[in-house]
Amino acid sequence: MDEKKVMLSGIQPSGDLHLGNYLGAIKNWAARAEEFDCYYFMADMHTITVRQTPADLRRRTLEQLAQYIACGLDPEKNTLFIQSHVPQHAELGWVLNCYTMFGELSRMTQFKDKSAKHKDNINGGLFTYPALMAADILLYQPDFVPVGEDQKQHVELTRNIVQRFNGIYDDVFKMPEPYIPKAGARVMGLTAPDSKMSKSIPEGCVFLMEKPEDIQRKFKRAITDSDTEHPVRYDPANKPGVANLMNIYSAITGKSFQEIETEFAGQGYGKFKPAVGEAVIETLRPIREEASRILADKAYLESVYKAGAEKASYVANKTLRKVYKKVGFVPR
Ligand code: TYM
């Protein structure tokens, strides 16, 4: 009997993967393949809540898969799949829409942010997105959902849905827990340390596939502060830029903030910023090289996502059948 606990997470292929995605999510996934039964997917269905260019979406979905593998997600040990290849996501998504309240959805930060950004396209999908995300999660009955800080609210909503649904129909879903890393859960933009790193501000965002010289340039230009001595000190309230760089350095090297302060004592930002850049470059170099190699092998990628969808569908279907029965649908 397989007694392993289950882990599941996904990323939208709406842009190129960046350091926030890596430190907040993927790095945490890759380390856990032996311990857990793991499911990771490309959340392509979520991306169309905002208009996408079809050819770009297709390309990025495959690039994301190559990058997942290059980040250490071995397809033999992790189930890697494309969300739209497993139709149970849309099916359970509909059911859960009917168990998610308008008020709950109205409170979601991501909805508020995205509807402010895309005023001309505040569609129903953007609003009900968290019900689909709850379906993504609950189909696989995971114990843990490893995400960055910004997705915690959606996982909390999923937990409310579980409580509501199980309250009506007995124990159908396992209660999932968000699993958030200590360092790297909220990587901020390098040019604006008051907002999270995201592809929408490319100058402050470090992409996984970016050239080393471009990465180093971004770190050298990272916003710090005008503290005259340039002391490397962890003080997020007064020195958010430095705190963010320390957070990145800590997530990459495993060093504590205290250790980092000691390492750079008396050296100032002029030494610290390129050192963080160098650490990031060296971490991303093998990932970039491996991802390029994998991406060239389309037949291999296809075999991975086909096998992944087959395994995911099998598991997802079991949950969906149970749910359909509970709510009163006639079995097929
Ligand atoms: P998405 O695609 O915006 O982000 C993917 C993952 O990266 C994390 N992340 C960050 N972590 C730290 N610092 C940052 N600056 C940063 N930016 C992004 C996110 O927290 C996330 O873990 N709704 C989800 C995708 C999704 C999903 C799911 C996740 C769909 N279904 C089911 C888990 C389970 C999203 O938009 O994440």
Side-chain angles (χ1 to χ4, degrees):
M1 260 315 266
D2 193 359
E3 294 290 330
K4 280 186 178 174
K5 293 208 169 191
V6 177
M7 230 180 203
L8 165 132
S9 199
I11 298 183
Q12 298 192 60
S14 51
D16 296 330
L17 290 178
H18 57 71
L19 192 62
N21 300 137
Y22 179 69
L23 296 178
I26 308 174
K27 185 167 182 281
N28 237 335
W29 310 349
R32 303 259 158 357
E34 303 291 341
E35 214 180 319
F36 294 92
D37 187 12
C38 298
Y39 298 82
Y40 302 115
F41 62 98
M42 278 48 76
D44 58 345
M45 291 167 71
H46 284 273
T47 68
I48 62 165
T49 54
V50 171
R51 290 283 174 267
Q52 302 291 330
T53 304
D56 290 348
L57 177 58
R58 246 187 304 276
R59 173 181 52 78
R60 279 197 307 260
T61 304
L62 294 180
E63 285 173 358
Q64 191 171 309
L65 175 60
Q67 289 169 37
Y68 274 7
I69 301 169
C71 285
L73 298 177
D74 178 350
E76 301 290 325
K77 296 183 181 157
N78 301 270
T79 305
L80 308 179
F81 65 98
I82 299 172
Q83 184 188 25
S84 63
H85 290 187
V86 182
Q88 290 85 359
H89 288 247
E91 295 179 85
L92 184 63
W94 170 252
V95 175
L96 296 185
N97 253 312
C98 304
Y99 295 81
T100 309
M101 298 301 136
F102 183 87
E104 288 174 314
L105 293 170
S106 310
R107 285 192 290 277
M108 295 294 113
T109 315
Q110 185 166 307
F111 171 69
K112 289 188 209 163
D113 287 352
K114 289 204 172 168
S115 51
K117 240 186 241 163
H118 305 277
K119 283 206 169 54
D120 54 339
N121 184 23
I122 306 178
N123 59 73
L126 194 63
F127 188 63
T128 60
Y129 178 118
L132 178 60
M133 176 157 161
D136 299 338
I137 296 173
L138 298 178
L139 281 171
Y140 303 92
Q141 306 277 16
D143 298 272
F144 299 105
V145 183
V147 285
E149 187 71 45
D150 64 324
Q151 291 299 318
K152 192 173 170 200
Q153 194 185 33
H154 288 157
V155 182
E156 295 295 346
L157 175 57
T158 302
R159 290 169 57 86
N160 292 346
I161 297 172
V162 169
Q163 202 165 31
R164 183 170 302 130
F165 201 92
N166 285 355
I168 305 172
Y169 304 107
D170 298 330
D171 285 345
V172 179
F173 297 123
K174 190 187 270 181
M175 185 63 88
E177 297 268 352
Y179 186 90
I180 294 173
K182 281 201 188 74
R186 193 168 171 79
V187 178
M188 309 308 274
L190 298 183
T191 49
D194 52 345
S195 54
K196 69 172 181 178
M197 180 176 283
S198 92
K199 61 180 186 304
S200 57
I201 309 177
E203 262 318 292
C205 183
V206 173
F207 297 97
L208 258 48
M209 299 300 280
E210 209 162 4
K211 289 207 238 44
E213 54 272 29
D214 293 338
I215 297 179
Q216 191 54 277
R217 180 177 45 80
K218 288 182 179 176
F219 275 98
K220 283 188 177 158
R221 288 189 190 162
I223 298 287
T224 39
D225 54 63
S226 51
D227 215 345
T228 41
E229 303 279 299
H230 288 185
V232 176
R233 190 158 36 78
Y234 190 71
D235 180 2
N238 298 307
K239 297 158 75 70
V242 174
N244 184 41
L245 292 173
M246 290 179 78
N247 192 22
I248 292 172
Y249 195 65
S250 167
I252 290 219
T253 60
K255 291 179 185 166
S256 68
F257 295 142
Q258 184 64 56
E259 285 168 326
I260 299 171
E261 285 176 7
T262 309
E263 183 178 347
F264 292 96
Q267 296 195 49
Y269 306 154
K271 284 268 165 38
F272 179 54
K273 291 202 280 189
V276 181
E278 208 41 50
V280 169
I281 288 168
E282 287 318 313
T283 301
L284 297 187
R285 188 189 305 280
I287 295 176
R288 189 182 72 242
E289 289 170 0
E290 181 68 357
S292 308
R293 196 186 60 73
I294 297 168
L295 194 58
D297 191 347
K298 293 284 182 295
Y300 170 67
L301 280 177
E302 187 177 329
S303 72
V304 169
Y305 68 66
K306 285 201 163 156
E310 201 172 315
K311 164 123 194 267
S313 273
Y314 177 78
V315 177
N317 206 39
K318 282 210 262 190
T319 308
L320 187 71
R321 297 271 81 84
K322 199 162 147 189
V323 169
Y324 273 11
K325 191 168 170 205
K326 289 282 185 184
V327 300
F329 295 166
V330 174
R332 289 179 205 177

